[in-house]
Amino acid sequence: MVTFIENIKMLNEQGELVETTITIDKGKIAAIGEEKPSDAEVIDGKGNFVAPGFVDVHVHLREPGFEHKETIATGTRSAARGGFTTICAMPNTKPVPDSVENLEYVKGLIKKSAVVRVLPYGSLTVAEAGEKRTNIAELKAHGAVAFSDDGVGVQLASTMYEQMQDAAKIDAVVVAHCEDNSLIYGGVMHEGKRNKELGLPGIPSVCESVQIARDVLLAEAAGAKYHVCHVSTKESVRTVRDAKKAGIRVTAEVCPHHLLLEDMDIPSDDANWKMNPPLRSSEDKKALIEGLLDGTIDCIATDHAPHTQEEKCCGMVGAPFGIVGFETAFPLLYTKFVEPGIFTLKQLVDWMTKKPAEIFNLPYGQIEVGASADLTIIDLNKEKTIDANEFHSKGRNTPFNGWKAKGWPVMTIFEGNVVYKEEE
Ligand SMILES: NC(=O)N[C@@H](CC(=O)O)C(=O)O
Ligand SMILES: [Zn+2]
Ligand SMILES: [Zn+2]
């Protein structure tokens, strides 16, 4: 079946919006800017903006093991509603995809219920316990997109070094949640001014940056491709910048919440503001924005991390770290950064599509003939108030509830099929 999208605007190389059409045949983009084939089914783009389906290289779907927080079905529906068509699922599930058997099991679950493309990570260590190394060559051969122990830092330098050496041999990407356990101090938010006002234990910035500093030196020694998760501090940005200058193969991602919020914004001891790494200072936030703009930080990832309302009910100390991200990422970033002219629309879209795909060597994230027909149609003028109760995710854990934002995905197309359509 042939589908024809008309009355749509697309970004050109210069970053201008130009009117076009897209023809889809057998799940692939068959033509751009051509006439309607006679037998085609027509989608009216209503003059909206069409972007490549967003690519998120850092998400948590919770299945298997934590289906009360999220399932592959709810998580991917949430992704589709946010405009994401390719997502890389972190391995902190139960079981952890640390063996071929466990990875195959996870792949089976994905096949059964995912509505968008889910690419599973393999872990760096068995059960993410930080001790026994996994066989990453074997896991890669069975479809692991990359390797990470996200949720915890790899504490031993030798473990990281040896996995990087193995990764270098097969050109796999080592992806790191950087957190030195000896520097957490039982903290639940950033160690600064606001945690003292709230009487809450703080996590110092060095907890993250020292491990990034260690890892870039290990990546240099191993010749490995190394990607840093959710960069949150100015020292981390500087360390990545210096490493890039030295020719080390390092890339980095930043999350929307770290670009949009700082510790002083935290209104009270409310666990919907608790995530790892925590919201840092206003100087840190500034450094992250500068880092994106100067190319130190390569892409944006949501770190969608659903938890139940019961878990998040009662203050930061007992609650798990993490907030949901899919269904608010684009409108918030568009409203707060593109509308005021801090980022261009092309920059924002590239950081959510082409750039992450490049890092992980994925053939997605661009609208071109022959590519998978993964598209997000966005109404850049539509304004709406964020209501967590409308989320397709099981998670309601967001600090952005009640925020007004513009630029909402109205239709998401994955492999030529409509997987999300806004209710009229
Ligand atoms: N980011 C978070 O605060 N939480 C993540 C783990 C992680 O990304 O480190 C989770 O799995 O809940
Ligand atoms: Zn993490
Ligand atoms: Zn994560």
Side-chain angles (χ1 to χ4, degrees), residues 58-60 90 92 150-151 177 230 276 303-305:
H58 187 150
V59 319
H60 299 271
M90 282 298 178
N92 57 342
D150 184 49
H177 166 116
H230 43 49
N276 198 7
D303 194 7
H304 177 82

Side-chain angles (χ1 to χ4, degrees), residues 136-270:
I136 62 174
E138 207 172 80
L139 290 168
K140 188 177 183 208
H142 283 260
V145 65
F147 300 89
S148 181
D149 271 5
D150 184 49
V152 284
V154 174
Q155 299 305 305
L156 271 185
S158 56
T159 304
M160 193 49 135
Y161 185 43
E162 288 158 25
Q163 287 302 55
M164 284 180 174
Q165 288 174 311
D166 280 1
K169 285 182 213 145
I170 55 169
D171 209 35
V173 192
V174 172
V175 178
H177 166 116
C178 290
E179 185 176 24
D180 184 313
N181 286 352
S182 71
L183 296 168
I184 302 172
Y185 298 108
V188 297
M189 61 178 285
H190 176 57
E191 169 67 44
K193 184 166 161 241
R194 188 64 180 145
N195 74 300
K196 290 175 193 76
E197 292 171 355
L198 292 171
L200 291 167
I203 308 167
S205 291
V206 283
C207 180
E208 170 178 297
S209 53
V210 291
Q211 208 163 75
I212 298 178
R214 177 200 77 179
D215 281 1
V216 294
L217 294 170
L218 294 175
E220 179 180 35
K225 234 181 132 181
Y226 171 68
H227 178 78
V228 193
C229 291
H230 43 49
V231 170
S232 74
T233 79
K234 57 186 189 299
E235 294 82 8
S236 301
V237 176
R238 189 185 66 216
T239 304
V240 172
R241 184 178 291 124
D242 290 349
K244 281 191 168 180
K245 270 191 203 136
I248 298 168
R249 299 169 80 196
V250 56
T251 53
E253 74 194 24
V254 63
C255 302
H257 46 276
H258 292 122
L259 295 167
L260 291 157
L261 301 171
E262 54 193 64
D263 64 341
M264 295 309 289
D265 295 328
I266 300 175
S268 62
D269 180 8
D270 176 349

